[in-house]
Amino acid sequence: MATTPDDDDLDPLPESSLVSRILAVAGTLLRKGAVLVALLVLVVVAVRACQSTQGPSLQPWHTIIPDEPAASEISAGNWQGYLTAEQRMYEQLRRKLDSAMKPGDRTLLNRYYPASLTSPEAFGHDWNRSYVLEPDGAAKGVVVLVHGLTDSPYSMRSVAELYRRHGFIAIAPRMPGHGTVPAGLTKAGRKEWHATLEMTMAEARRRAAGRLPVHLVGYSNGAALAMHYVMARIERGEKRDVDRIVLMSPMIEVNRFARFAGIAGWPALFSRYAKSAWLDVLPEFNAFKYNSFPVRAARESYLVTDELHVVMEEVTAQRRLNQVPPILAFQSVVDDTVGAHAVMTRLFDRLATNGSELVLFDVNRSRVIAPVLRTTATDWVGDVLQDPARRYTLTVVGAASSEDAAVVARTRDVGSDVVKQQPVGVRYPAEVYSLSHIGLPFAQDDALYGNVPSGKAIVQLGALAVRGERNVLVVSQESLSRLSYNPFHAYMLARIAEKIPAK
């Protein structure tokens, strides 16, 4: 007769066998996950390949890559050598473009046609190139100004001129790949940008001669490069060579898509899908900034911020954040290019008490505009002035109230329980609902990006507030509606001037 064993007689499953089963299940899930990821990537690549066969064709400025020095050559050279190589490159590029352009390319809207209304030559000087502004008298200091991605040294002109008027030598380098043709950004990247900034700072140290203060100004991607330069020197234990930092729309964090942007360009390995190497292929009607945007540039911008975060973590671990010079930063609370909130949380909230200040430009909260704003994008700034524990001064610039468009600056100093309010002297423009990433460096009377008539025979982008039917304009309505100037530019310059030493 069969007997039924007691529970105590049953052998438990061996521990090694249980672990093996768990590992087997995990392995199966991982394999399935990898297959799903691979399929997703294939779908993305296939869609990108299909998209690249549609839309406008690539033009000479998308395919002719300027002959620029590599990072190693830039590092081994100096400022004068860089200017010489830049001049040679521009001469070669002009010849190549002239021979490659077709009659249909010679239009009044093409910046690469010298007689067009959008040519840099229409401005009397090609501000795409590196430049130095010398003060009228003896130099009181040196400032290096670093422009942003797809941008050019033109964007640094107003701040450079401010420093020049205050007796500083202003040096504005052109980052490789910029100020020429969009194709330049399919080759030049962060290694060349870092090398160029290092070389320019060496020139600043030479001119300062150990006796003059040195300031470093960065806009957008240029701000990330500037912060990386400062942090890297601290991490390496090198002597500080920057006395003050000024940042505009700093690229501390970018869209997460940029991390994987390189995948979008994979189909370009096949010539039939060469256009997939571009996120945007657009007419080039902007004299000092590219409209077309290559995939590689998006990837490089992400890597710049990623490298910045890595070196910041190292400096934090070394407990050397107290060596960071004072920072004055300006940021719109809404920004479609960089993470506006991250400027506060990922940079300023980590700083030691060193006299830094973050200035936030608020949206227009008038009773007419407020209801159409996305609260998820704007409400984060609502209570930032309530935190008394910040180790930096925080200022929010915006309208006095929903009924009063007079602009005021609300400031909370370090260690203070009081929020001070000071009039700025302007009104929030009724037709403007926010500032923009691209507009911060430019005044309303800027010849290209401002809305005050310049009187020049050019296409003034900031004054093109047009209305009409869809699908009529050669350029996108979206590109014309994005604010290209800063209504509070004079306030920004005044705040920067406060930090420029008088002697």
Side-chain angles (χ1 to χ4, degrees):
M1 181 177 178
T3 59
T4 302
D6 296 335
D7 289 344
D8 291 341
D9 295 331
L10 293 174
D11 290 331
L13 187 68
E15 184 177 341
S16 60
S17 177
L18 179 61
V19 171
S20 298
R21 290 187 183 182
I22 293 174
L23 290 175
V25 172
T28 300
L29 292 175
L30 285 174
R31 285 193 295 273
K32 289 182 178 179
V35 170
L36 288 174
V37 170
L39 287 174
L40 179 61
V41 170
L42 285 174
V43 170
V44 170
V45 171
V47 170
R48 283 290 299 164
C50 180
Q51 289 177 336
S52 68
T53 61
Q54 305 170 13
S57 302
L58 295 179
Q59 301 299 323
W61 41 93
H62 298 120
T63 58
I64 298 175
I65 300 176
D67 183 18
E68 300 210 57
S72 58
E73 297 176 77
I74 297 171
S75 298
N78 56 27
W79 176 255
Q80 190 55 51
Y82 187 74
L83 294 183
T84 300
E86 186 178 78
Q87 175 63 25
R88 183 170 57 248
M89 178 269 296
Y90 270 103
E91 292 172 353
Q92 294 174 348
L93 179 61
R94 185 70 264 168
R95 290 195 296 269
K96 291 180 180 179
L97 282 175
D98 285 343
S99 63
M101 286 173 60
K102 302 173 183 177
D105 297 326
R106 304 179 191 280
T107 69
L108 292 179
L109 200 62
N110 184 359
R111 66 176 277 187
Y112 298 112
Y113 176 43
S116 79
L117 297 178
T118 61
S119 168
E121 297 180 20
F123 292 79
H125 181 84
D126 190 356
W127 294 101
N128 284 301
R129 307 189 185 200
S130 305
Y131 59 82
V132 176
L133 300 184
E134 302 279 358
D136 292 334
K140 299 178 181 178
V142 184
V143 61
V144 171
L145 307 103
V146 192
H147 65 78
L149 188 67
T150 76
D151 206 354
S152 73
Y154 179 85
S155 63
M156 311 308 293
R157 282 183 65 201
S158 65
V159 179
E161 177 59 26
L162 173 74
Y163 270 96
R164 189 201 67 77
R165 292 197 305 269
H166 283 76
F168 271 56
I169 301 168
I171 308 175
R174 180 193 60 85
M175 293 292 109
H178 294 78
T180 54
V181 290
L185 288 177
T186 65
K187 180 181 179 182
R190 68 192 189 285
K191 292 182 180 179
E192 288 75 27
W193 306 336
H194 287 311
T196 300
L197 181 50
E198 292 270 359
M199 175 273 300
T200 307
M201 288 303 300
E203 174 68 6
R205 290 193 299 271
R206 184 187 72 81
R207 289 178 174 248
R211 57 184 180 81
L212 299 178
V214 176
H215 288 197
L216 182 55
V217 180
Y219 163 52
S220 188
N221 189 65
L225 293 171
M227 287 306 306
H228 183 277
Y229 172 83
V230 171
M231 292 289 182
R233 285 186 66 90
I234 295 174
E235 188 269 335
R236 295 193 298 262
E238 298 177 3
K239 183 180 178 181
R240 192 172 89 176
D241 62 350
V242 174
D243 297 286
R244 178 168 291 278
I245 302 170
V246 177
L247 307 177
M248 296 178 287
S249 302
M251 189 176 283
I252 304 302
E253 180 181 88
V254 293
N255 191 303
R256 293 182 181 273
F257 166 75
R259 181 173 187 173
F260 306 101
I263 297 174
W266 285 359
L269 294 172
F270 303 95
S271 58
R272 172 180 171 81
Y273 307 115
K275 208 163 58 174
S276 65
W278 295 82
L279 294 176
D280 290 307
V281 176
L282 300 170
E284 294 299 326
F285 56 84
N286 194 325
F288 302 112
K289 184 178 178 65
Y290 304 146
N291 294 326
S292 302
F293 192 56
V295 168
R296 189 172 186 275
R299 174 66 177 167
E300 289 294 294
S301 68
Y302 165 76
L303 292 175
V304 167
T305 59
D306 186 57
E307 290 176 347
L308 172 59
H309 296 155
V310 170
V311 73
M312 283 180 63
E313 289 294 340
E314 184 58 33
V315 172
T316 302
Q318 295 175 357
R319 298 186 178 182
R320 294 181 177 178
L321 280 173
N322 61 333
Q323 297 181 27
V324 177
I327 303 172
L328 174 62
F330 301 90
Q331 174 64 53
S332 171
V333 302
V334 289
D335 193 313
D336 194 49
T337 303
V338 304
H341 192 232
V343 177
M344 183 169 66
T345 59
R346 303 195 69 174
L347 175 59
F348 273 81
D349 285 351
R350 304 179 66 173
L351 296 175
T353 303
N354 66 351
S356 293
E357 180 177 358
L358 173 60
V359 178
L360 298 173
F361 293 112
D362 201 5
V363 297
N364 189 345
R365 299 183 184 275
S366 73
R367 62 182 180 83
V368 175
I369 291 182
V372 299
L373 296 175
R374 292 180 179 175
T375 56
T376 53
T378 62
D379 281 2
W380 69 270
V381 76
D383 59 354
V384 294
L385 288 172
Q386 305 309 310
D387 187 353
R390 302 192 189 281
R391 295 186 294 273
Y392 54 92
T393 297
L394 182 63
T395 297
V396 178
V397 178
S401 69
S402 62
E403 301 294 335
D404 186 357
V407 176
V408 296
R410 298 179 177 90
T411 300
R412 186 166 197 159
D413 294 321
V414 178
S416 174
D417 291 329
V418 179
V419 176
K420 299 180 296 184
Q421 182 167 301
Q422 181 178 4
V424 171
V426 298
R427 299 178 66 80
Y428 212 119
E431 72 280 6
V432 173
Y433 58 84
S434 78
L435 274 65
S436 75
H437 178 85
I438 62 172
L440 250 60
F442 305 106
Q444 287 186 262
D445 62 354
D446 183 88
L448 179 59
Y449 300 115
N451 68 335
V452 177
S454 68
K456 295 180 178 291
I458 60 171
V459 173
Q460 190 173 358
L461 301 177
L464 289 177
V466 295
R467 291 180 179 272
E469 185 54 274
R470 295 178 297 178
N471 301 319
V472 176
L473 301 177
V474 176
V475 301
S476 70
Q477 289 173 301
E478 180 182 354
S479 66
L480 296 179
S481 63
R482 193 178 189 188
L483 190 66
S484 60
Y485 61 88
N486 181 356
F488 316 133
H489 187 265
Y491 167 82
M492 185 180 75
L493 290 189
R495 295 303 319 280
I496 295 173
E498 290 174 3
K499 307 301 181 181
I500 301 177
K503 296 182 180 180

